[in-house]
Amino acid sequence: MNFLNLDLNLLRVFDAVMAERNLTRAAERLAMSQPAVSHALKRLREALGEELFVRQAFGMKPTSRAEGLWPEVRLILQRLQTLLVPGDFRPEIEEYTFRIAMADATAALLLPPLVAQLEEARALANVHVLPLTTRDPRTLLEQGEVDFAVGYFPGAVAALQSQGNQSAIRQHRLYDSEYVCVMRRDHPLGQQPLDLDAYCSAHHLLVSFSGRPHGFVDEALNALNRSRRIVLTVNQFFTAGRVVAQSDLLTVLPATFVEATGYQSQLLERPLPVALSKVHVDMLWHLRSESRSAQRWMRERLIEAARQAGATSAPSAATIGS
C-alpha cells in the first residue's frame, strides 16, 4: 500500500460501517448513497490488500483485521475533528477516548467520582487507565502515549516549575497527602509509639513503580546513617495492602491511599519516625491539548473528582502554564 495515495475519506467510511455494521445505516450517517459506501469499502480493501468485512444476511461482519484497525482509526478521526473543528465539547453526543496514566491507588480514589460525573452528564467518553510505571511521565506525554498523567512526580514537577511557560508540559496540583507507616492492626509494633530503632529493625515492603530497590524512605534514612531491610518490592498499592495485612512487614503509603488498598479495616497507621516531604499529587498534560475543548472538559472533571474524593486541593497558583 502506498500511503501517499490513500484517500483518507475512506477511513471515515470504514469508521461508519464499523459503528453501524450495516451499509444502509452507514450511508445515511455519512449522507452518501449505499453504492458509494460499497465502492469506498472496495477501494479501501484494495489499498490494504485484505478483506475488512464479510456480508451477512443482516449486515456486515468485520474481520479480525478490521477489529484491530478500528480503535486506532476512530481515535485518529476523533483527534482530527477536535483539532480542526474545536468548538465546545458536547460530551452527551460526541465520543472521545481519554488515556490517563496513574497508579492503582490514585485510580481507586479518583475514578468513582469521575465515573459519577460521566454518568450524570450522559457522556459518551471512554476512559482508558494505563499503568503508571515512572515518576517522570513527560516522555509519555511528549510522545502522545497518554493524554494525562496523574501522580506524584517530584522531579518532573520541579523541572517544570523551573522552566515556567517555556515547558511544553502543563501541570495542576490536585491534592496533597502525607506518608504514613502502615502495618497489620495487631502488629507488635502497633502497641507503642514507633521509634527509629524499632522501625529500622523491622522487615519492610517497598512499593516501587520502576522496580528500584530503594525509595524516598531509604534516602531519608541514609541521611541519618541508618538503613532498613526490604524483604519485598511490589508495584501496586493494592498488593502492598494485602501483603502487609497478612504479615509482619511494614510499608509506607500516602495516607490518602490506605483506603484504596481495600484492607483499611485490617491495617494500622502510625507516624513515620523519619521526616519526609508531603506527597503532591499532580495532573500533567501536553501543551498541544491545552485549547482542545474535550481535553479541557476532562481536566475539569479530574479536578472535580479530586475535590469530591475529599482530597485537599492545592491553590490554583500550582497550575503551570494554564
Side-chain angles (χ1 to χ4, degrees), residues 23 47 52 60 69 72-73 91 104 106 119 167 174 195 199 213 215-216 237-238 250 293 322:
L23 288 182
L52 295 174
M60 306 290 287
L69 285 173
E72 295 300 325
V73 169
D104 61 311
T106 312
E119 291 179 337
S167 173
L174 289 178
D195 61 31
Y199 181 80
F216 301 117
F237 292 104
F238 173 82
L250 308 184
S293 59
S322 62

Side-chain angles (χ1 to χ4, degrees), residues 181-192 241-250 258-259 261 263-270:
C181 179
V182 180
M183 63 190 77
R184 62 180 172 87
R185 187 160 291 278
D186 56 350
H187 196 290
L189 293 181
Q191 312 308 314
Q192 56 197 15
R242 181 165 187 170
V243 172
V244 169
Q246 301 177 27
S247 71
D248 280 338
L249 298 183
L250 308 184
V258 176
E259 182 179 359
T261 66
Y263 292 88
Q264 186 178 27
S265 64
Q266 302 176 44
L267 299 174
L268 190 66
E269 300 174 36
R270 286 289 181 265

Side-chain angles (χ1 to χ4, degrees), residues 5-6 46 115 118 138 163 204 220 238 254 264 277:
N5 296 328
L6 179 65
E46 292 172 348
V115 170
L118 300 184
R138 286 178 292 175
Q163 295 170 14
H204 297 262
F238 173 82
Q264 186 178 27
S277 300

Side-chain angles (χ1 to χ4, degrees), residues 5-312:
N5 296 328
L6 179 65
D7 183 353
L8 297 183
N9 282 316
L10 301 180
L11 299 181
R12 294 180 57 247
V13 175
F14 170 71
D15 176 62
V17 176
M18 284 295 296
E20 300 292 346
R21 308 297 167 100
N22 181 281
L23 288 182
T24 300
R25 291 197 299 270
E28 292 173 352
R29 178 172 178 167
L30 294 165
M32 297 171 61
S33 67
Q34 183 174 325
V37 171
S38 295
H39 181 64
L41 288 181
K42 178 183 177 183
R43 291 175 57 201
L44 184 59
R45 181 184 71 242
E46 292 172 348
L48 295 178
E50 53 189 308
E51 294 289 342
L52 295 174
F53 297 94
V54 177
R55 289 183 180 270
Q56 293 186 320
F58 300 101
M60 306 290 287
K61 180 182 178 181
T63 64
S64 58
R65 172 62 166 159
E67 293 282 9
L69 285 173
W70 192 36
E72 295 300 325
V73 169
R74 166 152 281 204
L75 180 61
I76 290 168
L77 291 174
Q78 289 171 350
R79 293 186 180 280
L80 278 174
Q81 179 179 355
T82 302
L83 178 65
L84 299 175
V85 191
D88 289 327
F89 181 59
R90 296 171 295 175
E92 72 281 2
I93 64 173
E94 296 183 42
E95 292 187 33
Y96 200 97
T97 298
F98 300 95
R99 298 160 302 161
I100 308 174
M102 55 182 159
D104 61 311
T106 312
L109 183 70
L110 297 183
L111 289 185
L114 177 62
V115 170
Q117 291 183 71
L118 300 184
E119 291 179 337
E120 182 179 358
R122 299 184 180 276
L124 299 179
N126 303 306
V127 178
H128 293 177
V129 177
L130 306 177
L132 183 64
T133 58
T134 177
R135 289 291 186 192
D136 188 350
R138 286 178 292 175
T139 299
L140 296 176
L141 295 163
E142 289 165 353
Q143 296 180 352
E145 296 182 31
V146 298
D147 299 303
F148 303 98
V150 178
Y152 180 39
F153 313 122
V157 169
L160 295 178
Q161 290 174 340
S162 67
Q163 295 170 14
N165 287 332
Q166 300 302 312
S167 173
I169 305 298
R170 301 312 196 212
Q171 170 253 348
H172 180 86
R173 179 69 40 79
L174 289 178
Y175 61 89
D176 295 328
S177 185
E178 293 184 350
Y179 281 117
V180 293
C181 179
V182 180
M183 63 190 77
R184 62 180 172 87
R185 187 160 291 278
D186 56 350
H187 196 290
L189 293 181
Q191 312 308 314
Q192 56 197 15
L194 185 62
D195 61 31
L196 187 59
D197 288 337
Y199 181 80
C200 292
S201 297
H203 288 176
H204 297 262
L205 178 152
L206 170 66
V207 181
S208 173
F209 300 145
S210 64
R212 293 173 59 201
H214 60 275
F216 301 117
V217 174
D218 302 286
E219 294 171 2
L221 289 174
N222 185 58
L224 300 174
N225 293 318
R226 303 296 295 268
S227 63
R228 60 176 180 164
R229 170 155 154 62
I230 298 174
V231 175
L232 178 65
T233 301
V234 301
N235 63 2
Q236 288 189 330
F237 292 104
F238 173 82
T239 303
R242 181 165 187 170
V243 172
V244 169
Q246 301 177 27
S247 71
D248 280 338
L249 298 183
L250 308 184
T251 193
V252 174
L253 301 177
T256 52
F257 286 3
V258 176
E259 182 179 359
T261 66
Y263 292 88
Q264 186 178 27
S265 64
Q266 302 176 44
L267 299 174
L268 190 66
E269 300 174 36
R270 286 289 181 265
L272 281 166
V274 59
L276 292 181
S277 300
K278 281 191 173 184
V279 183
H280 305 301
V281 177
D282 295 285
M283 170 175 59
L284 274 57
W285 67 93
H286 198 277
L287 176 63
R288 61 175 167 264
S289 66
E290 183 77 36
S291 60
R292 297 177 188 174
S293 59
Q295 296 276 330
R296 184 170 61 251
W297 181 82
M298 179 53 71
R299 290 199 298 269
E300 293 169 353
R301 301 287 73 74
L302 287 167
I303 292 170
E304 176 62 17
R307 188 194 67 79
Q308 291 182 14
T312 303

